[in-house]
Amino acid sequence: MADRILIIEDEEKIARFIELELIHEGYEVVKCGDGRTGLELAEGGDFSLVLLDIMLPGLNGLEVLRRLRKSSDIPVILLTARDAVMDKVAGLDQGADDYITKPFAIEELLARIRLVLRRRSHADHEPAHNDPDDMLRCGELTLSESHHEVKYAGSEIELTGREFDLLNTLLINKNIVMSRDRLLGSVWGYDYMGETNVVDVYIRYLRSKIDEVFGINLIQTVRGVGYVIRDENE
Ligand code: CA
């Protein structure tokens, strides 16, 4: 059965554009342009996921999310304006599953939707600690979160906790370019007060332990944006 997605977004052009793309991908879509109606639909409508804009008439997106979370753990991806860092932090604090900054590439939104839905269906059916699929892969590289273990072609790679978390985040978001801010937020936390180049420093550590040792180009730099692990087989 197709996943049903609710779009709560008052900018009709954006909502329509997302709707067409989602229908093309085989999802069922309902859209709505104000917070209050959106909240009612989300609470009662048997959706698999909600795309929630923050700047909305009626109730704003953060308020919709706060109220929704009292009764529902339905996955929510926030649509935020560029540089609205406080919104992102507040949104994640209030239980958003992910966010995407406008303007975005539709492919990135689709990837995030797939990821959130997959994560959610795993969480529903299989506890992570004994999930045989808990292994993340890219080519010959494997990472097991439950065993806290990274291997390349079977040989183990010793990583520190932070290095492991960074690699884990990149692998979970495989094929998605991750900005430094985003990596910083996921791995060090949004309240991290140190230097933002800590991300670059740890990327260097990872490369010296993986790329340089095994002669591969696992972690790619996207100039001016951040980093990505690409799986050429996907
Ligand atoms: Ca808006």
Side-chain angles (χ1 to χ4, degrees):
M1 213 180 71
D3 281 308
R4 297 182 80 218
I5 296 182
L6 174 63
I7 305 172
I8 309 177
E9 162 67 88
D10 59 318
E11 283 157 86
E12 178 56 30
K13 266 173 140 170
I14 296 180
R16 179 74 185 141
F17 171 65
I18 299 173
E19 179 188 33
L20 289 174
E21 292 289 338
L22 291 180
I23 289 171
H24 181 73
E25 293 294 313
Y27 297 108
E28 282 179 25
V29 180
V30 173
K31 61 184 167 52
C32 147
D34 76 272
R36 210 167 288 278
T37 316
L39 177 62
E40 278 169 26
L41 285 167
E43 283 174 332
D46 192 24
F47 293 97
S48 306
L49 183 142
V50 178
L51 296 178
L52 177 60
D53 184 33
I54 288 190
M55 298 296 285
L56 286 171
L59 290 178
N60 76 42
L62 290 177
E63 187 56 23
V64 170
L65 178 62
R66 197 181 66 78
R67 297 192 190 184
L68 181 62
R69 278 292 174 257
K70 288 182 182 167
S71 61
S72 164
D73 65 350
I74 182 174
V76 173
I77 298 178
L78 293 174
L79 309 176
T80 72
R82 183 173 286 283
D83 295 334
V85 177
M86 289 315 294
D87 285 349
K88 293 170 196 166
V89 176
L92 294 170
D93 280 350
Q94 280 174 21
D97 294 76
D98 204 348
Y99 64 84
I100 189 164
T101 306
K102 293 194 264 187
F104 47 81
I106 192 69
E107 286 307 327
E108 185 179 1
L109 178 64
L110 294 174
R112 292 195 184 285
I113 289 172
R114 283 195 295 271
L115 195 72
V116 168
L117 289 176
R118 201 184 316 143
R119 212 190 281 152
R120 188 53 60 115
S121 73
H122 274 251
D124 285 350
H125 303 302
E126 304 163 88
H129 55 270
N130 60 7
D131 175 2
D133 261 337
D134 127 277
M135 197 86 105
L136 297 171
R137 293 167 198 282
C138 181
E140 299 269 19
L141 186 93
T142 57
L143 180 149
S144 160
E145 195 161 11
S146 52
H147 295 98
H148 215 270
E149 199 173 68
V150 178
K151 291 183 175 176
Y152 187 82
S155 56
E156 199 170 338
I157 302 168
E158 298 280 346
L159 298 180
T160 66
R162 212 60 110 175
E163 291 163 356
F164 183 91
D165 290 348
L166 180 57
L167 182 64
N168 192 26
T169 302
L170 285 166
L171 280 171
I172 288 171
N173 294 284
K174 194 164 69 173
N175 298 324
I176 297 172
V177 177
M178 299 291 284
S179 70
R180 287 177 179 76
D181 279 351
R182 204 176 169 86
L183 290 170
L184 199 64
S186 316
V187 178
W188 281 267
Y190 285 94
D191 51 359
Y192 176 78
M193 297 299 280
E195 299 288 318
T196 51
N197 76 359
V198 71
V199 173
D200 305 283
V201 171
Y202 274 80
I203 291 283
R204 274 209 299 283
Y205 292 158
L206 282 178
R207 283 177 171 156
S208 73
K209 290 183 174 182
I210 302 173
D211 296 52
E212 288 169 23
V213 173
F214 298 100
I216 56 174
N217 183 17
L218 179 73
I219 303 170
Q220 300 176 14
T221 304
V222 180
R223 218 169 282 281
V225 186
Y227 299 98
V228 61
I229 288 180
R230 286 207 175 88
D231 197 333
E232 309 302 340
N233 300 316
E234 285 186 5

PDB file of all heavy atoms in Angstrom, residues 140-168:
ATOM      1  N   GLU A 140      33.151  -2.107   0.298  1.00  0.00           N
ATOM      2  CA  GLU A 140      33.748  -3.095   1.200  1.00  0.00           C
ATOM      3  C   GLU A 140      33.710  -2.651   2.656  1.00  0.00           C
ATOM      4  O   GLU A 140      34.131  -3.378   3.546  1.00  0.00           O
ATOM      5  CB  GLU A 140      35.227  -3.322   0.808  1.00  0.00           C
ATOM      6  CG  GLU A 140      35.416  -3.859  -0.589  1.00  0.00           C
ATOM      7  CD  GLU A 140      35.450  -5.378  -0.614  1.00  0.00           C
ATOM      8  OE1 GLU A 140      34.986  -6.006   0.359  1.00  0.00           O
ATOM      9  OE2 GLU A 140      35.950  -5.934  -1.603  1.00  0.00           O
ATOM     10  N   LEU A 141      33.270  -1.437   2.886  1.00  0.00           N
ATOM     11  CA  LEU A 141      33.252  -0.909   4.253  1.00  0.00           C
ATOM     12  C   LEU A 141      31.942  -1.281   4.948  1.00  0.00           C
ATOM     13  O   LEU A 141      30.868  -1.136   4.383  1.00  0.00           O
ATOM     14  CB  LEU A 141      33.391   0.608   4.231  1.00  0.00           C
ATOM     15  CG  LEU A 141      33.525   1.235   5.630  1.00  0.00           C
ATOM     16  CD1 LEU A 141      35.000   1.372   5.996  1.00  0.00           C
ATOM     17  CD2 LEU A 141      32.820   2.563   5.709  1.00  0.00           C
ATOM     18  N   THR A 142      32.059  -1.772   6.186  1.00  0.00           N
ATOM     19  CA  THR A 142      30.850  -2.051   6.967  1.00  0.00           C
ATOM     20  C   THR A 142      30.963  -1.404   8.333  1.00  0.00           C
ATOM     21  O   THR A 142      32.060  -1.298   8.889  1.00  0.00           O
ATOM     22  CB  THR A 142      30.635  -3.571   7.173  1.00  0.00           C
ATOM     23  OG1 THR A 142      31.792  -4.116   7.814  1.00  0.00           O
ATOM     24  CG2 THR A 142      30.365  -4.282   5.872  1.00  0.00           C
ATOM     25  N   LEU A 143      29.837  -0.978   8.844  1.00  0.00           N
ATOM     26  CA  LEU A 143      29.796  -0.402  10.188  1.00  0.00           C
ATOM     27  C   LEU A 143      28.623  -1.034  10.935  1.00  0.00           C
ATOM     28  O   LEU A 143      27.502  -1.026  10.442  1.00  0.00           O
ATOM     29  CB  LEU A 143      29.637   1.112  10.115  1.00  0.00           C
ATOM     30  CG  LEU A 143      29.564   1.869  11.457  1.00  0.00           C
ATOM     31  CD1 LEU A 143      30.161   3.269  11.314  1.00  0.00           C
ATOM     32  CD2 LEU A 143      28.129   1.966  11.971  1.00  0.00           C
ATOM     33  N   SER A 144      28.937  -1.606  12.090  1.00  0.00           N
ATOM     34  CA  SER A 144      27.868  -2.158  12.921  1.00  0.00           C
ATOM     35  C   SER A 144      27.721  -1.298  14.154  1.00  0.00           C
ATOM     36  O   SER A 144      28.643  -1.189  14.961  1.00  0.00           O
ATOM     37  CB  SER A 144      28.193  -3.601  13.313  1.00  0.00           C
ATOM     38  OG  SER A 144      27.424  -3.948  14.446  1.00  0.00           O
ATOM     39  N   GLU A 145      26.560  -0.665  14.273  1.00  0.00           N
ATOM     40  CA  GLU A 145      26.350   0.224  15.411  1.00  0.00           C
ATOM     41  C   GLU A 145      26.271  -0.584  16.707  1.00  0.00           C
ATOM     42  O   GLU A 145      26.848  -0.204  17.723  1.00  0.00           O
ATOM     43  CB  GLU A 145      25.070   1.036  15.204  1.00  0.00           C
ATOM     44  CG  GLU A 145      25.000   2.206  16.142  1.00  0.00           C
ATOM     45  CD  GLU A 145      24.017   3.284  15.701  1.00  0.00           C
ATOM     46  OE1 GLU A 145      23.231   3.045  14.772  1.00  0.00           O
ATOM     47  OE2 GLU A 145      24.046   4.353  16.315  1.00  0.00           O
ATOM     48  N   SER A 146      25.598  -1.733  16.659  1.00  0.00           N
ATOM     49  CA  SER A 146      25.408  -2.501  17.893  1.00  0.00           C
ATOM     50  C   SER A 146      26.737  -3.068  18.406  1.00  0.00           C
ATOM     51  O   SER A 146      26.949  -3.181  19.599  1.00  0.00           O
ATOM     52  CB  SER A 146      24.395  -3.610  17.679  1.00  0.00           C
ATOM     53  OG  SER A 146      24.746  -4.379  16.560  1.00  0.00           O
ATOM     54  N   HIS A 147      27.627  -3.427  17.511  1.00  0.00           N
ATOM     55  CA  HIS A 147      28.938  -3.945  17.943  1.00  0.00           C
ATOM     56  C   HIS A 147      29.997  -2.854  17.998  1.00  0.00           C
ATOM     57  O   HIS A 147      31.139  -3.124  18.340  1.00  0.00           O
ATOM     58  CB  HIS A 147      29.411  -5.063  17.009  1.00  0.00           C
ATOM     59  CG  HIS A 147      28.534  -6.277  17.059  1.00  0.00           C
ATOM     60  ND1 HIS A 147      27.548  -6.512  16.125  1.00  0.00           N
ATOM     61  CD2 HIS A 147      28.470  -7.290  17.944  1.00  0.00           C
ATOM     62  CE1 HIS A 147      26.915  -7.637  16.438  1.00  0.00           C
ATOM     63  NE2 HIS A 147      27.449  -8.118  17.533  1.00  0.00           N
ATOM     64  N   HIS A 148      29.617  -1.653  17.627  1.00  0.00           N
ATOM     65  CA  HIS A 148      30.564  -0.533  17.581  1.00  0.00           C
ATOM     66  C   HIS A 148      31.830  -0.945  16.836  1.00  0.00           C
ATOM     67  O   HIS A 148      32.954  -0.850  17.343  1.00  0.00           O
ATOM     68  CB  HIS A 148      30.910  -0.071  19.004  1.00  0.00           C
ATOM     69  CG  HIS A 148      31.124   1.418  19.065  1.00  0.00           C
ATOM     70  ND1 HIS A 148      32.355   1.995  18.859  1.00  0.00           N
ATOM     71  CD2 HIS A 148      30.257   2.436  19.277  1.00  0.00           C
ATOM     72  CE1 HIS A 148      32.217   3.315  18.960  1.00  0.00           C
ATOM     73  NE2 HIS A 148      30.972   3.607  19.208  1.00  0.00           N
ATOM     74  N   GLU A 149      31.608  -1.406  15.608  1.00  0.00           N
ATOM     75  CA  GLU A 149      32.689  -2.042  14.874  1.00  0.00           C
ATOM     76  C   GLU A 149      32.700  -1.577  13.425  1.00  0.00           C
ATOM     77  O   GLU A 149      31.649  -1.533  12.784  1.00  0.00           O
ATOM     78  CB  GLU A 149      32.441  -3.553  14.912  1.00  0.00           C
ATOM     79  CG  GLU A 149      33.626  -4.414  14.604  1.00  0.00           C
ATOM     80  CD  GLU A 149      33.255  -5.874  14.857  1.00  0.00           C
ATOM     81  OE1 GLU A 149      32.426  -6.422  14.102  1.00  0.00           O
ATOM     82  OE2 GLU A 149      33.793  -6.456  15.812  1.00  0.00           O
ATOM     83  N   VAL A 150      33.884  -1.205  12.938  1.00  0.00           N
ATOM     84  CA  VAL A 150      34.018  -0.807  11.539  1.00  0.00           C
ATOM     85  C   VAL A 150      35.039  -1.720  10.880  1.00  0.00           C
ATOM     86  O   VAL A 150      36.101  -1.983  11.438  1.00  0.00           O
ATOM     87  CB  VAL A 150      34.496   0.660  11.412  1.00  0.00           C
ATOM     88  CG1 VAL A 150      34.676   1.042   9.949  1.00  0.00           C
ATOM     89  CG2 VAL A 150      33.496   1.605  12.077  1.00  0.00           C
ATOM     90  N   LYS A 151      34.707  -2.215   9.691  1.00  0.00           N
ATOM     91  CA  LYS A 151      35.640  -3.093   8.982  1.00  0.00           C
ATOM     92  C   LYS A 151      35.748  -2.677   7.526  1.00  0.00           C
ATOM     93  O   LYS A 151      34.778  -2.189   6.939  1.00  0.00           O
ATOM     94  CB  LYS A 151      35.157  -4.550   9.046  1.00  0.00           C
ATOM     95  CG  LYS A 151      35.246  -5.157  10.420  1.00  0.00           C
ATOM     96  CD  LYS A 151      34.813  -6.604  10.385  1.00  0.00           C
ATOM     97  CE  LYS A 151      35.025  -7.250  11.765  1.00  0.00           C
ATOM     98  NZ  LYS A 151      34.535  -8.628  11.785  1.00  0.00           N
ATOM     99  N   TYR A 152      36.925  -2.902   6.971  1.00  0.00           N
ATOM    100  CA  TYR A 152      37.070  -2.755   5.526  1.00  0.00           C
ATOM    101  C   TYR A 152      37.563  -4.080   4.974  1.00  0.00           C
ATOM    102  O   TYR A 152      38.619  -4.575   5.390  1.00  0.00           O
ATOM    103  CB  TYR A 152      38.055  -1.640   5.156  1.00  0.00           C
ATOM    104  CG  TYR A 152      38.067  -1.386   3.662  1.00  0.00           C
ATOM    105  CD1 TYR A 152      37.106  -0.578   3.062  1.00  0.00           C
ATOM    106  CD2 TYR A 152      39.014  -2.011   2.854  1.00  0.00           C
ATOM    107  CE1 TYR A 152      37.079  -0.392   1.699  1.00  0.00           C
ATOM    108  CE2 TYR A 152      39.002  -1.821   1.475  1.00  0.00           C
ATOM    109  CZ  TYR A 152      38.036  -1.008   0.905  1.00  0.00           C
ATOM    110  OH  TYR A 152      38.011  -0.822  -0.458  1.00  0.00           O
ATOM    111  N   ALA A 153      36.804  -4.667   4.060  1.00  0.00           N
ATOM    112  CA  ALA A 153      37.115  -5.972   3.499  1.00  0.00           C
ATOM    113  C   ALA A 153      37.481  -6.955   4.610  1.00  0.00           C
ATOM    114  O   ALA A 153      38.427  -7.719   4.501  1.00  0.00           O
ATOM    115  CB  ALA A 153      38.246  -5.867   2.469  1.00  0.00           C
ATOM    116  N   GLY A 154      36.749  -6.875   5.702  1.00  0.00           N
ATOM    117  CA  GLY A 154      36.933  -7.834   6.791  1.00  0.00           C
ATOM    118  C   GLY A 154      37.945  -7.425   7.847  1.00  0.00           C
ATOM    119  O   GLY A 154      37.955  -7.979   8.939  1.00  0.00           O
ATOM    120  N   SER A 155      38.842  -6.470   7.551  1.00  0.00           N
ATOM    121  CA  SER A 155      39.822  -6.116   8.595  1.00  0.00           C
ATOM    122  C   SER A 155      39.324  -4.919   9.406  1.00  0.00           C
ATOM    123  O   SER A 155      38.817  -3.936   8.870  1.00  0.00           O
ATOM    124  CB  SER A 155      41.211  -5.862   8.005  1.00  0.00           C
ATOM    125  OG  SER A 155      41.135  -4.875   7.016  1.00  0.00           O
ATOM    126  N   GLU A 156      39.494  -5.041  10.711  1.00  0.00           N
ATOM    127  CA  GLU A 156      38.890  -4.079  11.607  1.00  0.00           C
ATOM    128  C   GLU A 156      39.653  -2.755  11.636  1.00  0.00           C
ATOM    129  O   GLU A 156      40.877  -2.718  11.558  1.00  0.00           O
ATOM    130  CB  GLU A 156      38.829  -4.661  13.026  1.00  0.00           C
ATOM    131  CG  GLU A 156      37.818  -3.922  13.852  1.00  0.00           C
ATOM    132  CD  GLU A 156      37.534  -4.608  15.190  1.00  0.00           C
ATOM    133  OE1 GLU A 156      37.765  -5.817  15.332  1.00  0.00           O
ATOM    134  OE2 GLU A 156      37.077  -3.891  16.098  1.00  0.00           O
ATOM    135  N   ILE A 157      38.902  -1.663  11.749  1.00  0.00           N
ATOM    136  CA  ILE A 157      39.493  -0.326  11.828  1.00  0.00           C
ATOM    137  C   ILE A 157      39.175   0.241  13.205  1.00  0.00           C
ATOM    138  O   ILE A 157      38.007   0.287  13.602  1.00  0.00           O
ATOM    139  CB  ILE A 157      38.879   0.595  10.743  1.00  0.00           C
ATOM    140  CG1 ILE A 157      39.106  -0.001   9.354  1.00  0.00           C
ATOM    141  CG2 ILE A 157      39.469   2.001  10.829  1.00  0.00           C
ATOM    142  CD1 ILE A 157      38.301   0.677   8.258  1.00  0.00           C
ATOM    143  N   GLU A 158      40.219   0.665  13.925  1.00  0.00           N
ATOM    144  CA  GLU A 158      40.019   1.224  15.268  1.00  0.00           C
ATOM    145  C   GLU A 158      39.681   2.701  15.162  1.00  0.00           C
ATOM    146  O   GLU A 158      40.469   3.494  14.662  1.00  0.00           O
ATOM    147  CB  GLU A 158      41.314   1.075  16.098  1.00  0.00           C
ATOM    148  CG  GLU A 158      41.758  -0.355  16.323  1.00  0.00           C
ATOM    149  CD  GLU A 158      40.975  -1.031  17.450  1.00  0.00           C
ATOM    150  OE1 GLU A 158      40.297  -0.309  18.214  1.00  0.00           O
ATOM    151  OE2 GLU A 158      41.026  -2.277  17.524  1.00  0.00           O
ATOM    152  N   LEU A 159      38.501   3.071  15.643  1.00  0.00           N
ATOM    153  CA  LEU A 159      38.106   4.482  15.635  1.00  0.00           C
ATOM    154  C   LEU A 159      37.781   4.952  17.048  1.00  0.00           C
ATOM    155  O   LEU A 159      37.323   4.169  17.873  1.00  0.00           O
ATOM    156  CB  LEU A 159      36.859   4.690  14.756  1.00  0.00           C
ATOM    157  CG  LEU A 159      36.959   4.348  13.266  1.00  0.00           C
ATOM    158  CD1 LEU A 159      35.633   4.617  12.579  1.00  0.00           C
ATOM    159  CD2 LEU A 159      38.084   5.136  12.588  1.00  0.00           C
ATOM    160  N   THR A 160      38.007   6.230  17.293  1.00  0.00           N
ATOM    161  CA  THR A 160      37.552   6.817  18.560  1.00  0.00           C
ATOM    162  C   THR A 160      36.033   6.999  18.495  1.00  0.00           C
ATOM    163  O   THR A 160      35.429   6.878  17.421  1.00  0.00           O
ATOM    164  CB  THR A 160      38.182   8.201  18.793  1.00  0.00           C
ATOM    165  OG1 THR A 160      37.695   9.102  17.783  1.00  0.00           O
ATOM    166  CG2 THR A 160      39.704   8.142  18.731  1.00  0.00           C
ATOM    167  N   GLY A 161      35.433   7.304  19.621  1.00  0.00           N
ATOM    168  CA  GLY A 161      33.975   7.462  19.676  1.00  0.00           C
ATOM    169  C   GLY A 161      33.466   8.504  18.696  1.00  0.00           C
ATOM    170  O   GLY A 161      32.495   8.290  17.970  1.00  0.00           O
ATOM    171  N   ARG A 162      34.136   9.647  18.663  1.00  0.00           N
ATOM    172  CA  ARG A 162      33.720  10.742  17.791  1.00  0.00           C
ATOM    173  C   ARG A 162      33.893  10.391  16.318  1.00  0.00           C
ATOM    174  O   ARG A 162      33.043  10.698  15.480  1.00  0.00           O
ATOM    175  CB  ARG A 162      34.551  11.972  18.138  1.00  0.00           C
ATOM    176  CG  ARG A 162      33.839  13.264  17.947  1.00  0.00           C
ATOM    177  CD  ARG A 162      32.599  13.427  18.773  1.00  0.00           C
ATOM    178  NE  ARG A 162      32.759  14.413  19.824  1.00  0.00           N
ATOM    179  CZ  ARG A 162      31.778  14.809  20.638  1.00  0.00           C
ATOM    180  NH1 ARG A 162      30.580  14.289  20.513  1.00  0.00           N
ATOM    181  NH2 ARG A 162      32.002  15.690  21.572  1.00  0.00           N
ATOM    182  N   GLU A 163      35.017   9.752  16.014  1.00  0.00           N
ATOM    183  CA  GLU A 163      35.255   9.323  14.625  1.00  0.00           C
ATOM    184  C   GLU A 163      34.164   8.347  14.191  1.00  0.00           C
ATOM    185  O   GLU A 163      33.640   8.419  13.077  1.00  0.00           O
ATOM    186  CB  GLU A 163      36.633   8.661  14.497  1.00  0.00           C
ATOM    187  CG  GLU A 163      37.800   9.621  14.673  1.00  0.00           C
ATOM    188  CD  GLU A 163      39.123   8.906  14.942  1.00  0.00           C
ATOM    189  OE1 GLU A 163      39.135   7.663  15.063  1.00  0.00           O
ATOM    190  OE2 GLU A 163      40.145   9.596  15.045  1.00  0.00           O
ATOM    191  N   PHE A 164      33.837   7.442  15.099  1.00  0.00           N
ATOM    192  CA  PHE A 164      32.800   6.450  14.803  1.00  0.00           C
ATOM    193  C   PHE A 164      31.454   7.139  14.535  1.00  0.00           C
ATOM    194  O   PHE A 164      30.770   6.838  13.555  1.00  0.00           O
ATOM    195  CB  PHE A 164      32.667   5.476  15.983  1.00  0.00           C
ATOM    196  CG  PHE A 164      31.679   4.364  15.743  1.00  0.00           C
ATOM    197  CD1 PHE A 164      32.094   3.159  15.186  1.00  0.00           C
ATOM    198  CD2 PHE A 164      30.341   4.518  16.069  1.00  0.00           C
ATOM    199  CE1 PHE A 164      31.187   2.130  14.948  1.00  0.00           C
ATOM    200  CE2 PHE A 164      29.423   3.500  15.838  1.00  0.00           C
ATOM    201  CZ  PHE A 164      29.851   2.302  15.284  1.00  0.00           C
ATOM    202  N   ASP A 165      31.102   8.083  15.398  1.00  0.00           N
ATOM    203  CA  ASP A 165      29.823   8.793  15.244  1.00  0.00           C
ATOM    204  C   ASP A 165      29.760   9.560  13.921  1.00  0.00           C
ATOM    205  O   ASP A 165      28.731   9.610  13.257  1.00  0.00           O
ATOM    206  CB  ASP A 165      29.607   9.781  16.400  1.00  0.00           C
ATOM    207  CG  ASP A 165      29.334   9.055  17.704  1.00  0.00           C
ATOM    208  OD1 ASP A 165      29.086   7.835  17.671  1.00  0.00           O
ATOM    209  OD2 ASP A 165      29.394   9.713  18.760  1.00  0.00           O
ATOM    210  N   LEU A 166      30.882  10.182  13.567  1.00  0.00           N
ATOM    211  CA  LEU A 166      30.927  10.951  12.324  1.00  0.00           C
ATOM    212  C   LEU A 166      30.760  10.021  11.115  1.00  0.00           C
ATOM    213  O   LEU A 166      29.967  10.294  10.207  1.00  0.00           O
ATOM    214  CB  LEU A 166      32.254  11.721  12.247  1.00  0.00           C
ATOM    215  CG  LEU A 166      32.481  12.580  11.011  1.00  0.00           C
ATOM    216  CD1 LEU A 166      31.376  13.623  10.818  1.00  0.00           C
ATOM    217  CD2 LEU A 166      33.847  13.285  11.090  1.00  0.00           C
ATOM    218  N   LEU A 167      31.488   8.912  11.126  1.00  0.00           N
ATOM    219  CA  LEU A 167      31.374   7.951  10.026  1.00  0.00           C
ATOM    220  C   LEU A 167      29.953   7.382   9.969  1.00  0.00           C
ATOM    221  O   LEU A 167      29.365   7.245   8.889  1.00  0.00           O
ATOM    222  CB  LEU A 167      32.396   6.819  10.210  1.00  0.00           C
ATOM    223  CG  LEU A 167      32.420   5.767   9.098  1.00  0.00           C
ATOM    224  CD1 LEU A 167      32.845   6.376   7.765  1.00  0.00           C
ATOM    225  CD2 LEU A 167      33.364   4.615   9.467  1.00  0.00           C
ATOM    226  N   ASN A 168      29.418   7.077  11.130  1.00  0.00           N
ATOM    227  CA  ASN A 168      28.056   6.550  11.219  1.00  0.00           C
ATOM    228  C   ASN A 168      27.051   7.516  10.583  1.00  0.00           C
ATOM    229  O   ASN A 168      26.202   7.123   9.779  1.00  0.00           O
ATOM    230  CB  ASN A 168      27.723   6.311  12.699  1.00  0.00           C
ATOM    231  CG  ASN A 168      26.447   5.502  12.885  1.00  0.00           C
ATOM    232  OD1 ASN A 168      26.055   4.728  12.011  1.00  0.00           O
ATOM    233  ND2 ASN A 168      25.800   5.679  14.014  1.00  0.00           N
TER     234      ASN A 168
END
